Amino acid sequence: MIILITGASHTGKTYLAQRLLEKTKYPYLSIDHLKMGLIRSGHTGLTPEDDDKLTVYLWPIVCEIIKTAIENRQNLIVEGCYIPAHWRKDLDEQYLRSIRFICLAMSGEYIEKNFDAIILHESDIETRLTGADCTVEDLKNDNESVIHAFREAGEEVIVIDSDYEKRIERLLKQHI
């Protein structure tokens, strides 16, 4: 089984993947790690700020990794923001049957009420270098964009609008 996790910035994609790894013992692939490996090794001229271009560049690679894992009956958690809203079009039904998809976003009201806590926890699993660059408006815009794009593509979006930990616990119970 593949558990595919995407969503807006700061929503806890990596945190959820880590928690799922602990519960399921499935390995996980961070698309951010793949991105940085390709950038640091010089295999692409893209930079960490080239989000849209990185999605186009990375998704075909990630898609083939997913197919390979499914063909070999291997479990894998794949997480990151570089998953296009119309990701399903790149996979045949034989693959889609083996994928559980999770898209995380936060409501604007939740971001406004919890911004300090969101920033406080932004490096709980991976060290972020964003710090002061991240604003309430940036987060709200990113989350609204993710919600719109994925819903328009027909995907369910898990919108966190209250107790974060309780929502994550429910997701963990649903996906294991």
Side-chain angles (χ1 to χ4, degrees):
M1 174 192 316
I2 305 298
I3 301 174
L4 187 58
I5 304 169
T6 194
S9 178
H10 289 75
T11 54
K13 297 177 295 292
T14 306
Y15 175 70
L16 178 58
Q18 180 68 35
R19 296 283 308 277
L20 282 165
L21 171 140
E22 291 165 3
K23 288 200 176 257
T24 64
K25 306 300 184 220
Y26 295 180
Y28 85 81
L29 168 67
S30 166
I31 301 173
D32 278 342
H33 292 171
L34 177 61
K35 167 190 78 176
M36 291 311 297
L38 291 164
I39 289 170
R40 288 179 171 175
S41 68
H43 281 83
T44 180
L46 298 172
T47 70
E49 289 76 37
D50 293 325
D51 283 344
D52 291 338
K53 291 177 184 174
L54 282 163
T55 299
V56 171
Y57 183 74
L58 293 169
W59 175 244
I61 298 166
V62 172
C63 193
E64 295 306 320
I65 291 169
I66 290 168
K67 288 178 184 177
T68 301
I70 292 170
E71 289 163 358
N72 287 293
R73 296 183 194 96
Q74 296 168 323
N75 299 314
L76 182 63
I77 300 163
V78 178
E79 67 84 16
C81 62
Y82 303 107
I83 298 169
H86 295 279
W87 65 274
R88 290 180 190 270
K89 71 175 182 55
D90 297 320
L91 295 156
D92 294 337
E93 184 57 37
Q94 71 186 46
Y95 298 111
L96 292 173
R97 284 192 298 268
S98 298
I99 299 173
R100 291 193 181 163
F101 177 73
I102 302 169
C103 181
L104 298 175
M106 294 180 276
S107 70
E109 184 178 343
Y110 181 85
I111 294 167
E112 287 175 4
K113 288 181 179 177
N114 297 281
F115 182 73
D116 290 340
I118 292 166
I119 297 304
L120 180 67
H121 293 285
E122 71 180 353
S123 293
D124 282 356
I125 305 297
E126 289 182 328
T127 302
R128 287 183 181 263
L129 302 176
T130 56
D133 293 345
C134 184
T135 68
V136 169
E137 284 307 310
D138 290 339
L139 279 184
K140 286 173 64 176
N141 290 337
D142 185 39
N143 279 265
E144 288 170 13
S145 175
V146 165
I147 291 168
H148 176 75
F150 280 88
R151 283 186 175 164
E152 191 173 274
E155 298 293 347
E156 178 186 358
V157 179
I158 307 300
V159 180
I160 299 160
D161 59 3
S162 60
D163 190 308
Y164 182 86
E165 277 302 321
K166 284 183 183 175
R167 190 65 178 116
I168 295 300
E169 287 302 320
R170 280 197 310 250
L171 280 171
L172 289 168
K173 289 177 184 172
Q174 289 172 344
H175 291 279
I176 54 171

